[in-house]
Amino acid sequence: MAVDRDHVLRSAAALLTRRASATMDDVARAAGIGRATLHRHFAGREALVKALEALGIQETEAALDRARLDDGPAEDALRRFVAAVEPAAGLLAFLVTENQLFEDDVHAGWNRIDARISALFRRGQEGGEFRIDLPPAWLTEALYGLIGACAWSIQDGRLAARDFPYMTAELLLGGARRSVST
Amino acid sequence: MAVDRDHVLRSAAALLTRRASATMDDVARAAGIGRATLHRHFAGREALVKALEALGIQETEAALDRARLDDGPAEDALRRFVAAVEPAAGLLAFLVTENQLFEDDVHAGWNRIDARISALFRRGQEGGEFRIDLPPAWLTEALYGLIGACAWSIQDGRLAARDFPYMTAELLLGGARRSVST
Amino acid sequence: MAVDRDHVLRSAAALLTRRASATMDDVARAAGIGRATLHRHFAGREALVKALEALGIQETEAALDRARLDDGPAEDALRRFVAAVEPAAGLLAFLVTENQLFEDDVHAGWNRIDARISALFRRGQEGGEFRIDLPPAWLTEALYGLIGACAWSIQDGRLAARDFPYMTAELLLGGARRSVST
Amino acid sequence: MAVDRDHVLRSAAALLTRRASATMDDVARAAGIGRATLHRHFAGREALVKALEALGIQETEAALDRARLDDGPAEDALRRFVAAVEPAAGLLAFLVTENQLFEDDVHAGWNRIDARISALFRRGQEGGEFRIDLPPAWLTEALYGLIGACAWSIQDGRLAARDFPYMTAELLLGGARRSVST
DNA sequence: TATGAATGAGTCTTCATTCAT
DNA sequence: AATGAATGAAGACTCATTCAT
């Protein structure tokens, strides 16, 4: 009964996102296997974290692909991305808080993601959709922050997962202020 | 040469906010004292973290007080709070990511803060300033997320500290979209 | 090569009886295992001491059982007990000097032992075998003291283990004075 | 208000006899002074212990002197010694359990005491007062054991201090058995 | 392959001791 | 002389990792 490597990764992501200091023992127990078996799947803690990072990068980039960021209004593209990235929100939140030991390929992947999202905001600014007093880099960081806040709220049961795209996109796009023209 | 307990707390906050897994040895070195002396000031790691949490609660509540949340337009009150809380942004980010061992007084303090900020958003909604499709609880969480994102950006040098209030308040209030009426 | 928990306990007893301040490292080395392995078997120093106490209680009570204290002359019963308890003399001496953290079950066990030995002395007094000017409680304490003295003498090589029962029982029963009637 | 060095020694003896692992802090608090002050009186823990040992040796030898061991029947001499040593029983018990780091003068003192007490028992044996099947060395050890048991019983409140000489001497001399000729 | 047992490395904590006042 | 503050050294404990079955 070969233990599914992906299953281990998923449960590890869920656990480590919530509590970055979780023990390898905790991770193993969360996956329903023994410590030693966990070590057979991932050479060590570092390898596990790297695998999580790689998975987060991969799923985020896949979400970016699915969102076709270059098509149509930037606002719609952003909504598509937020909806597409929802399943990986936990992994993304994990990545955001682990922003130190990024090395090599993970760092490169993160840069690619940054660049694509920033480019989207820039396109929106140049197209007159987005305001220009908030730099794309900050809008990108803010998006990460909102995704993280949303993911944590969902994990703690304060928010329903199905509300994620609306809450995140609406706040980022329109803010809390009541729109003047409405 | 009496070591100031407050000084130890400040440097510990700066370090632990950046790297939650920092060793007691690291914390001591950051404060310029020995491990044993650190233990004289804080009975153990747990006591240190609790002291940090208490400080974060305290400073955030002080910022809420200074912002006079009940005075004038809710939007202005929010701006005042964001500006007032800026020095404690790192502590606040630390609190947000440590969302587990909240116990007793810290939990109570956090609830007080939550209640006051939520009440501000509710006042804004009832006064017609804020949109009503985003619940106050989510707006509150989003504010935490933005403050955290901002604090991390500043710590990593991607954002200037003096831009904190504007970036945070503007995004939260107006969003990225270009205002229709402009 | 599974390390026997009982073997660890035995060597720990031998060491701690001799030197109560022995390090966990010392205990581990005496058992031929590493510090961490010792911690796998006993959650901590306190747990180890409690296990030793429990073992001492258990072996002493077993010796009491084997000695059939209620059968025949009290003097013979006492001789049987002293002979039966000899292998556990070190543990008993350890218990006597650790007379503080007795809690819960250990305390209860110690009380049971006290009661049974005191009852034996009382039976001897009531049967006319033992003098009545020395209270049973003191005779019991004296027995502990003699057992301890004997155990220490053996450990330090000043006395042969096979002489233990004779030396202890003879002195306790007859004292140093030459018997008048002999 | 010069703190009395002897007072510190006395309270330290009382504490360390009860709990050999007591902290220097505990010792200082028991003496009503600060840790640092304790260190002004005794260069270190080792020095304190050595001072205690020296005091124990000194008081025991003084008791031996006062008892005039060579005068009259050995039995009476033993009674005199037990009575004389009663105030130092706690110190003696401490010495008995600390039987390792005896070095130099302390060891020599202990040997002197051993020799004098053993000589007393030997004199009793040769004079026909004491039985000859229990070697003087063991009788000496047994005396220490009984003194220790008595001291512990007194400290724990299970025995009155004024009963010490009778209980100890009677048991050691006559044992528990009812004397035949009585 | 999976796992209980064992352990080296490293962190946390305490204690005896020193220092500055 | 006495003491609060500071700390080096050492012990207790945990965790990631390896090994034998």
Side-chain angles (χ1 to χ4, degrees):
Chain A
M1 187 245 303
V3 169
D4 196 354
R5 178 190 156 103
D6 193 63
H7 164 247
V8 176
L9 259 186
R10 294 290 168 182
S11 57
L15 179 57
L16 288 175
T17 300
R18 217 164 310 189
R19 190 157 45 90
S21 64
T23 295
M24 286 296 272
D25 203 2
D26 296 332
V27 173
R29 206 173 310 124
I33 60 178
R35 257 172 307 190
T37 306
L38 175 59
H39 274 274
R40 285 196 65 76
H41 285 281
F42 301 95
R45 187 193 184 83
E46 194 171 344
L48 173 63
V49 170
K50 275 197 86 170
L52 278 177
E53 291 171 348
L55 183 62
I57 296 291
Q58 175 192 320
E59 301 224 332
T60 304
E61 293 201 281
L64 287 168
D65 291 340
R66 281 200 302 279
R68 288 168 293 109
L69 255 52
D70 297 329
D71 291 1
E75 176 172 333
D76 294 345
L78 184 69
R79 288 185 197 279
R80 287 195 301 269
F81 169 65
V82 171
V85 87
E86 186 266 325
L91 278 171
L92 205 56
F94 176 72
L95 276 175
V96 168
T97 58
E98 288 287 307
N99 56 357
Q100 12 231 189
L101 36 90
F102 282 179
E103 52 180 9
D104 312 333
D105 43 356
V106 176
H107 193 64
W110 190 251
N111 280 342
R112 284 196 304 274
I113 294 170
D114 257 13
R116 292 175 74 177
I117 299 180
S118 290
L120 171 64
F121 284 119
R122 197 169 303 111
R123 180 166 79 84
Q125 288 180 330
E126 290 168 352
E129 287 183 84
F130 294 162
R131 60 201 290 188
I132 58 173
D133 59 333
L134 300 177
W138 163 237
L139 290 173
T140 304
E141 298 275 351
L143 174 58
Y144 297 150
L146 289 179
I147 290 176
C150 218
W152 286 324
S153 292
I154 290 171
Q155 275 172 354
D156 291 354
R158 295 191 299 270
L159 193 65
R162 68 188 195 93
D163 294 332
F164 177 98
Y166 183 81
M167 295 293 177
T168 304
E170 276 305 312
L171 187 68
L172 182 64
L173 287 169
R177 195 189 295 125
R178 189 172 164 199
S179 186
V180 178
S181 67
T182 304
Chain B
M1 188 241 305
V3 168
D4 196 354
R5 178 191 154 104
D6 193 62
H7 163 248
V8 176
L9 254 189
R10 295 290 168 181
S11 56
L15 179 56
L16 286 175
T17 300
R18 212 164 316 182
R19 190 159 45 93
S21 64
T23 295
M24 287 295 273
D25 205 358
D26 296 334
V27 174
R29 208 172 309 121
I33 60 178
R35 250 172 309 190
T37 306
L38 175 59
H39 276 273
R40 263 188 59 75
H41 287 280
F42 302 96
R45 187 193 187 81
E46 196 171 342
L48 174 63
V49 170
K50 270 198 96 172
L52 279 178
E53 292 172 348
L55 182 63
I57 295 291
Q58 176 191 319
E59 302 227 327
T60 303
E61 293 201 281
L64 287 168
D65 292 340
R66 282 200 302 278
R68 289 169 292 109
L69 255 52
D70 296 329
D71 292 0
E75 177 173 334
D76 293 345
L78 184 69
R79 287 184 198 279
R80 287 196 299 269
F81 170 63
V82 171
V85 88
E86 186 266 326
L91 275 173
L92 205 56
F94 178 73
L95 274 175
V96 167
T97 57
E98 287 287 307
N99 56 355
Q100 25 226 185
L101 37 88
F102 282 177
E103 53 179 11
D104 313 333
D105 43 356
V106 175
H107 193 65
W110 191 251
N111 281 343
R112 282 196 304 274
I113 293 171
D114 257 13
R116 292 175 75 176
I117 299 181
S118 289
L120 170 65
F121 284 120
R122 196 169 304 110
R123 179 166 80 85
Q125 289 179 331
E126 291 168 351
E129 287 182 85
F130 294 161
R131 59 199 291 188
I132 59 172
D133 59 333
L134 300 178
W138 162 238
L139 290 173
T140 304
E141 299 275 351
L143 173 60
Y144 296 149
L146 289 179
I147 289 175
C150 218
W152 288 324
S153 291
I154 291 171
Q155 275 171 355
D156 292 355
R158 295 191 298 270
L159 193 65
R162 67 188 196 93
D163 294 333
F164 177 99
Y166 183 80
M167 295 294 177
T168 303
E170 275 305 312
L171 187 67
L172 182 65
L173 287 169
R177 195 189 295 125
R178 192 174 161 197
S179 185
V180 178
S181 67
T182 303
Chain C
M1 188 241 305
V3 168
D4 197 353
R5 178 191 154 104
D6 193 62
H7 163 248
V8 176
L9 255 189
R10 295 290 167 181
S11 55
L15 179 56
L16 286 176
T17 300
R18 212 163 315 182
R19 189 160 46 93
S21 64
T23 294
M24 287 296 271
D25 205 358
D26 296 333
V27 174
R29 207 171 310 121
I33 60 179
R35 251 171 308 191
T37 306
L38 175 60
H39 276 275
R40 263 187 58 75
H41 286 281
F42 302 96
R45 188 193 187 82
E46 194 173 343
L48 174 62
V49 170
K50 270 198 95 171
L52 279 178
E53 291 172 348
L55 182 63
I57 296 291
Q58 176 190 320
E59 302 227 328
T60 303
E61 293 201 280
L64 287 168
D65 292 339
R66 280 199 303 278
R68 289 168 292 110
L69 254 51
D70 298 328
D71 292 1
E75 176 172 334
D76 294 344
L78 185 70
R79 288 185 198 279
R80 287 195 299 269
F81 170 63
V82 171
V85 87
E86 185 266 326
L91 275 172
L92 206 54
F94 177 73
L95 275 174
V96 168
T97 57
E98 286 288 306
N99 56 355
Q100 26 224 183
L101 35 90
F102 282 179
E103 52 181 10
D104 313 333
D105 41 357
V106 175
H107 193 63
W110 191 252
N111 281 343
R112 281 195 306 273
I113 293 171
D114 257 11
R116 292 175 74 177
I117 298 180
S118 289
L120 171 64
F121 284 119
R122 196 170 304 109
R123 178 165 81 84
Q125 288 179 332
E126 291 168 353
E129 287 182 86
F130 294 161
R131 59 201 291 188
I132 59 172
D133 59 333
L134 299 178
W138 163 238
L139 291 173
T140 304
E141 299 275 351
L143 175 58
Y144 297 151
L146 289 179
I147 289 176
C150 217
W152 288 323
S153 292
I154 290 172
Q155 275 170 357
D156 292 354
R158 295 191 298 271
L159 192 65
R162 66 188 196 92
D163 294 333
F164 177 98
Y166 183 80
M167 295 293 178
T168 304
E170 275 306 312
L171 187 66
L172 183 64
L173 287 169
R177 195 190 294 125
R178 190 174 164 197
S179 185
V180 178
S181 67
T182 303
Chain D
M1 187 246 302
V3 169
D4 196 353
R5 177 190 155 104
D6 192 63
H7 163 249
V8 176
L9 258 187
R10 295 289 168 182
S11 56
L15 179 57
L16 287 175
T17 300
R18 217 164 308 189
R19 190 157 47 91
S21 64
T23 295
M24 287 295 272
D25 203 2
D26 296 332
V27 173
R29 208 172 308 124
I33 59 178
R35 256 171 308 190
T37 306
L38 176 59
H39 275 273
R40 283 197 65 76
H41 286 281
F42 302 95
R45 186 193 185 84
E46 195 172 344
L48 173 63
V49 170
K50 276 197 86 169
L52 278 176
E53 290 171 349
L55 183 62
I57 297 290
Q58 174 192 321
E59 302 224 331
T60 303
E61 293 202 280
L64 287 169
D65 291 340
R66 282 199 302 279
R68 289 166 292 110
L69 256 50
D70 297 329
D71 292 1
E75 177 171 333
D76 294 344
L78 185 68
R79 288 186 198 278
R80 288 195 299 270
F81 169 64
V82 170
V85 87
E86 186 266 325
L91 277 171
L92 206 54
F94 177 72
L95 276 174
V96 167
T97 57
E98 287 288 306
N99 57 356
Q100 11 233 191
L101 35 89
F102 282 178
E103 52 181 9
D104 312 334
D105 44 355
V106 176
H107 192 64
W110 190 252
N111 280 342
R112 282 196 305 274
I113 294 171
D114 256 13
R116 294 175 74 176
I117 299 181
S118 289
L120 171 64
F121 284 119
R122 196 169 303 111
R123 178 165 80 86
Q125 286 179 333
E126 290 168 352
E129 288 182 86
F130 294 162
R131 60 200 290 189
I132 59 172
D133 59 332
L134 299 178
W138 163 237
L139 291 173
T140 305
E141 299 276 350
L143 174 58
Y144 297 150
L146 288 179
I147 289 176
C150 219
W152 288 324
S153 291
I154 291 171
Q155 276 172 354
D156 291 355
R158 294 190 299 271
L159 193 65
R162 66 188 195 94
D163 294 332
F164 177 98
Y166 183 80
M167 295 292 178
T168 304
E170 275 304 313
L171 187 66
L172 182 64
L173 288 170
R177 195 189 295 127
R178 189 174 163 198
S179 186
V180 179
S181 67
T182 304

